[in-house]
Structure formats: C-alpha cells, structure tokens
Amino acid sequence: GVGGALLVPWRATSAPLPSSSSVAEQPSATPPALPLTGRELIATLEDLLPEGKVSEQRARGTENSTLPPYVHLVYDDGKGPGAIGVSLDRVEPGSDQARQTIDCPDKALVPHDSCVSTRLADGSLLKLFQGYEYPDRRVDTKLWSADLVTPTGQHVTVSEWNAAAEKDAPISRSEPPLSTAQLKELATAQVWRKYVEFIPEDPKPSAPPSTAVEPGVDSVLATLVPLLPKGVEVVEKGHDYTYVVLDDGKGRSYLQVDVQRGMGDVADELFGDGSETLPDGTRVDFRESGGDKGVAGAVMWTVDTLRTDGFRVVVSTLNSATQHDAPTRATPAVTREQLRKIALSPEWDQYR
C-alpha cells in the first residue's frame, strides 16, 4: 500500500445497564463454546432494520471458517432495493490499523461527499462515510458506511449501497436506504460487539527487534521533501498516504513514494526483462502508463527499485494534482532522471 498501511477490558456503553447482573456478561479470553451461525447473523440484521422487504440473504458465521463473520442482504423500504452488509472483526487498539480504520480518507485519493469521525461516550470511535463504490465515479453507485472500533478492539462495519449489489447492478434509488442516523444506530447496536467475541483472537507473534526506522507517513515525507529538485514547491502533503502535490509554476503534479521491506521473494514478478541491475545488485525498473484511473491524457511515471535485502522504494508521479483529476500539464513536474535519483537515494536506507 501507499505509505503507512492498520486488545484491554470490556467497557459499558452510554446506554443504561439493564441490571447489575450484566457484569457477569464480560467476555472471557476464549471464544464462546458454541459457534456464531450465519442464520443468527441474518436474523439479527433483519430484526435491527426498519420495516421493509428483505431478500438475497447470505452470511458467514464462525462455524467452519477462520475468516471474519459477515451478513449481507437486499433491503427495500418501498423506495427501491439497496444492498446492506455488516462485517465483524478485531483490530488491536491504538494500532495503525485501528487508526486507519477510523481516519477519514484523503479526498485527493478517495473522492467522497462526507466523512465524520467522532469519539463516543464509551470511548469507542465511529466513522460515518458517504462516498462511492468506484472512487473514479465511472459508475455513480453510492457507498455509505459506518465503522465502529471499541476500546477493546471490536470492529463493526456497516455498508450500504443505492443498488441491489455493490457492483454490476443498476442504480435503483437516489441514495442508500438508511440515513446517517440509522447507519450509526445499526453500527452501534450492542449485539454486534457480543458477536465479535465469537471470533478467536490471533496469537501475537513475537517480532524480532529491529533498529530500522518505521516508515510512517510523516517520517517518509520528511525524507522525501529534501530529495525533490530545486524550483519545485510542495503545495500539499498527504496525511494518511505518503504523497505530495508539487508546483513548478507550470501546473500541479502528484508524486507518491512507497517504502516496503521483505519484498525479495517477488523480485522476479516485479522486475522483468526490461529492468536493469546496478553494480551493487539493486534492481531498477522504469514504467510509463496512463495512470490507473482511466483519465484522458494522464501520464504516470514510476521508478521501482529493489535492494538486495528485499528493501523496495517505489516513486511515482503524475501530470495532474490527483490520481483522478484531469491533467494540468503535458508531463509530470519531476523528470524521469530526477525520479530515479529520488528512488535510489541512500537516505531511504534508514528504513531498511
């Protein structure tokens, strides 16, 4: 992925407790003896939805799968069918994964109409997102979602669409069926948190100590900016992803860098016949494409490098300010040679 990629005692929510006996309902470290069934998930979602017609129900419990449970159906309140899904899993509280789950995406990378992230009274974090199934809007299928992460790492995601399926289904209504308030109510329903306790916890692998700097967004951008050529101004920086928007007075240009360790096992897939190998064993490849969003006139240059220990630095640049906007210039603001120099800089070695 581009840039940085994303468990403590049970807490009651702000809802009143039915009785003091609820203290006995605290989850144990081991999952309940009986598995969570798909049938239970379907019944629960149907029960929590407003009055309407449901169809095409499917679900995966914890009976015969190590994959996270989910439930999905088509719901029609009389204004047209819309798909609704709920998925459950765990994240480690305070981890990058937990933060990225709740952080609103950068509009330069994921166009959307609205995104609000808030902390609830019980300490849980809730993100309410209104966007599109396809970020490039090639089809105007709307995707609205709610992500809840509790202080204990329970993660509930509710998603809904204004079509009967996420993809390849005609738009059947102007907006998804549930309002933002209903989406929040569904995501925060206590029953989902109880169901997360049916998911076995992963044993924590013990990571070997490393002296390398973690390639977080701020750190990588701090390394990148001094490597940029003179005469090019940074007018915008990414918050969740390691990119900058540059301006040399001739139009804005997007540039991103990705720093990855342990990529040696896919070297042959990444570097084909057209790549070169430097005297120190570093492999280098240059690729030119029209970007990945199908924007007319887009030019994307990428320099991909792989050190002998599997350490990879990829630098890409576009002739536009974002991955989905129309070009602002004929070619990117950074030349191919400058891009290569950035990718091969020894400054990246601190992350190896």
Side-chain angles (χ1 to χ4, degrees):
V2 181
L6 296 232
L7 259 147
V8 301
W10 179 270
R11 295 201 195 163
T13 63
S14 54
L17 294 173
S19 71
S20 60
S21 65
S22 61
V23 174
E25 295 173 11
Q26 292 181 1
S28 61
T30 54
L34 293 174
L36 174 66
T37 66
R39 186 176 298 176
E40 285 177 273
L41 287 164
I42 291 169
T44 299
L45 178 55
E46 289 182 0
D47 187 51
L48 290 171
L49 289 173
E51 195 68 33
K53 180 186 174 186
V54 294
S55 60
E56 299 181 43
Q57 302 95 322
R58 64 180 192 272
R60 177 177 62 223
T62 60
E63 309 104 311
N64 301 307
S65 177
T66 55
L67 297 171
Y70 78 89
V71 54
H72 189 282
L73 50 74
V74 176
Y75 168 78
D76 192 341
D77 56 2
K79 300 174 184 176
I84 298 178
V86 180
S87 60
L88 310 171
D89 65 359
R90 299 179 189 273
V91 295
E92 187 170 346
S95 65
D96 282 347
Q97 183 187 0
R99 179 182 60 79
Q100 290 169 12
T101 298
I102 295 303
D103 280 356
C104 285
D106 198 312
K107 273 202 170 181
L109 297 172
V110 182
H112 55 273
D113 297 328
S114 171
C115 184
V116 180
S117 187
T118 55
R119 184 178 293 274
L120 305 182
D122 70 335
S124 296
L125 294 166
L126 178 72
K127 178 179 75 179
L128 295 170
F129 173 85
Q130 293 184 333
Y132 300 86
E133 177 64 29
Y134 299 96
D136 61 3
R137 305 282 296 276
R138 61 183 183 271
V139 179
D140 267 337
T141 306
K142 291 183 179 180
L143 163 61
W144 291 1
S145 64
D147 276 281
L148 178 82
V149 174
T150 72
T152 60
Q154 299 154 318
H155 177 206
V156 179
T157 302
V158 180
S159 304
E160 58 168 342
W161 296 262
N162 62 333
E166 300 97 301
K167 303 180 193 294
D168 304 322
I171 292 171
S172 48
R173 47 189 300 142
S174 59
E175 294 184 341
L178 302 180
S179 67
T180 301
Q182 290 172 317
L183 204 57
K184 176 181 177 180
E185 185 179 0
L186 181 55
T188 55
Q190 285 293 310
V191 64
W192 302 125
R193 307 185 192 196
K194 293 179 182 177
Y195 285 170
V196 171
E197 296 309 314
F198 285 82
I199 305 172
E201 292 191 44
D202 288 331
K204 300 289 180 293
S206 54
S210 172
T211 56
V213 178
E214 280 303 312
V217 174
D218 293 340
S219 173
V220 170
L221 290 180
T223 304
L224 170 66
V225 171
L227 300 175
L228 295 169
K230 289 181 173 57
V232 177
E233 182 187 358
V234 176
V235 294
E236 190 179 327
K237 290 183 184 179
H239 301 293
D240 299 319
Y241 298 90
T242 44
Y243 77 87
V244 290
V245 178
L246 308 173
D247 195 339
D248 59 357
K250 301 173 185 175
R252 296 194 168 192
S253 183
Y254 176 95
L255 185 145
Q256 70 181 34
V257 60
D258 201 358
V259 178
Q260 302 169 340
R261 301 177 187 140
M263 300 297 290
D265 56 343
V266 291
D268 292 336
E269 297 173 36
L270 297 170
F271 297 87
D273 294 337
S275 63
E276 63 176 306
T277 302
L278 302 183
D280 67 356
T282 299
R283 301 181 74 168
V284 184
D285 193 22
F286 175 82
R287 295 188 288 274
E288 179 172 348
S289 70
D292 59 357
K293 304 293 179 184
V295 177
V299 174
M300 183 177 193
W301 292 342
T302 298
V303 173
D304 199 343
T305 67
L306 186 71
R307 276 62 164 178
T308 53
D309 60 356
F311 177 66
R312 183 187 186 200
V313 179
V314 191
V315 188
S316 299
T317 186
L318 283 156
N319 62 336
S320 56
T322 74
Q323 297 183 52
H324 49 266
D325 285 347
T328 58
R329 49 193 298 140
T331 58
V334 176
T335 68
R336 301 182 189 199
E337 293 74 21
Q338 290 167 338
L339 203 63
R340 177 187 171 103
K341 188 175 179 181
I342 293 169
L344 289 171
S345 169
E347 292 297 322
W348 300 115
D349 289 351
Q350 63 182 302
Y351 303 107
R352 291 170 77 164

